[in-house]
Amino acid sequence: GAGVSQSPSNKVTEKGKDVELRCDPISGHTALYWYRQRLGQGLEFLIYFQGNSAPDKSGLPSDRFSAERTGESVSTLTIQRTQQEDSAVYLCASSGAGGPSDTQYFGPGTRLTVL
Amino acid sequence: DAKTTQPPSMDCAEGRAANLPCNHSTISGNEYVYWYRQIHSQGPQYIIHGLKNNETNEMASLIITEDRKSSTLILPHATLRDTAVYYCIVRVYSGGSNYKLTFGKGTLLTVNP
């Protein structure tokens, strides 16, 4: 079946602009994660959604970052007033239930470049 | 913060077994060990995971020591397409049902012809 998809694949924006990144999880997956990966670095957790529970936002680096999820489907990550340090690949992952043995499957990522 | 330690890089000859080590000495009893890999410019790809028993699937084998403080990922017959960064990860409890993946810098495995 279809995997996790993300759009756009690449986004170039000017400093100070807002951007929206989209994630379509695997159908039926209730858990959805956003991660960020800066050049040459490991993945950095941003936010987690599980069903109708309140999201775990503990990884969001500042209040310029926010994310929404409609039910158990699409999620959008919004970055307001982008800064050059926001340049990174933003990765989305989904899994069945979010438990300790539940495998996360990743999308291809969105490469964000802030000029 | 990553709870695992991996060598930054390794080389392997094509057709040979690649053995990638990982130390996770502070792992808790209910934390799983996961392995992912990331080929340049792609999203991470799941390989295998385990709790305390050795595991094998079509991609690899995972050997976990009895004390669970370290593990080894084995690619039995490495190919050039296995060249990637390999991440050894433990699931970190973050509240509610969130068991997020905490990534370090991984091991760059280069398979040479």
Side-chain angles (χ1 to χ4, degrees):
Chain A
V4 178
S5 61
Q6 294 185 246
S7 61
S9 55
N10 283 285
K11 176 71 177 178
V12 180
T13 190
E14 294 180 345
K15 178 181 174 181
K17 300 283 189 181
D18 297 351
V19 295
E20 271 193 6
L21 312 179
R22 176 187 169 108
C23 172
D24 285 87
I26 293 172
S27 178
H29 278 188
T30 60
L32 186 147
Y33 299 76
W34 283 98
Y35 294 85
R36 176 171 72 177
Q37 186 173 32
R38 291 196 167 113
L39 187 64
Q41 303 296 312
L43 272 69
E44 175 188 3
F45 167 78
L46 296 178
I47 189 169
Y48 161 76
F49 295 92
Q50 172 59 284
N52 294 320
S53 302
D56 176 353
K57 305 179 181 180
S58 60
L60 294 179
S62 77
D63 59 7
R64 296 187 295 105
F65 287 72
S66 63
E68 293 184 351
R69 187 180 186 195
T70 306
E72 295 182 353
S73 60
V74 171
S75 175
T76 57
L77 176 69
T78 302
I79 309 173
Q80 296 177 310
R81 306 181 302 281
T82 52
Q83 304 294 312
Q84 289 181 335
E85 71 233 31
D86 299 333
S87 295
V89 176
Y90 289 82
L91 290 153
C92 175
S94 71
S95 69
S101 66
D102 198 42
T103 300
Q104 294 178 29
Y105 295 94
F106 284 82
T110 294
R111 182 176 299 279
L112 175 66
T113 303
V114 182
L115 302 176
Chain B
D1 293 331
K3 297 177 61 176
T4 61
T5 304
Q6 299 177 254
S9 64
M10 292 183 65
D11 286 293
C12 178
E14 188 177 18
R16 297 284 193 168
N19 297 292
L20 292 92
C22 179
N23 287 321
H24 31 79
S25 58
T26 61
I27 193 169
S28 300
N30 62 348
E31 289 181 331
Y32 283 73
V33 178
Y34 274 77
W35 283 83
Y36 282 78
R37 72 180 182 185
Q38 191 170 25
I39 297 169
H40 184 61
S41 299
Q42 298 183 21
Q45 178 188 20
Y46 166 77
I47 301 173
I48 199 167
H49 73 281
L51 183 62
K52 55 183 178 180
N53 296 323
N54 297 338
E55 302 288 344
T56 296
N57 63 20
E58 65 278 6
M59 289 184 68
S61 295
L62 174 60
I63 308 298
I64 303 174
T65 58
E66 191 170 344
D67 63 8
R68 302 209 326 122
K69 292 186 177 182
S70 65
S71 61
T72 301
L73 178 74
I74 301 172
L75 306 179
H77 305 288
T79 71
L80 298 179
R81 288 177 293 181
D82 292 324
T83 293
V85 177
Y86 287 76
Y87 294 98
C88 167
I89 301 150
V90 297
R91 298 294 293 269
V92 178
Y93 182 63
S94 184
S97 61
N98 184 9
Y99 288 83
K100 64 184 180 181
L101 298 174
T102 300
F103 284 72
K105 293 189 177 180
T107 296
L108 172 60
L109 174 68
T110 302
V111 180
N112 300 305

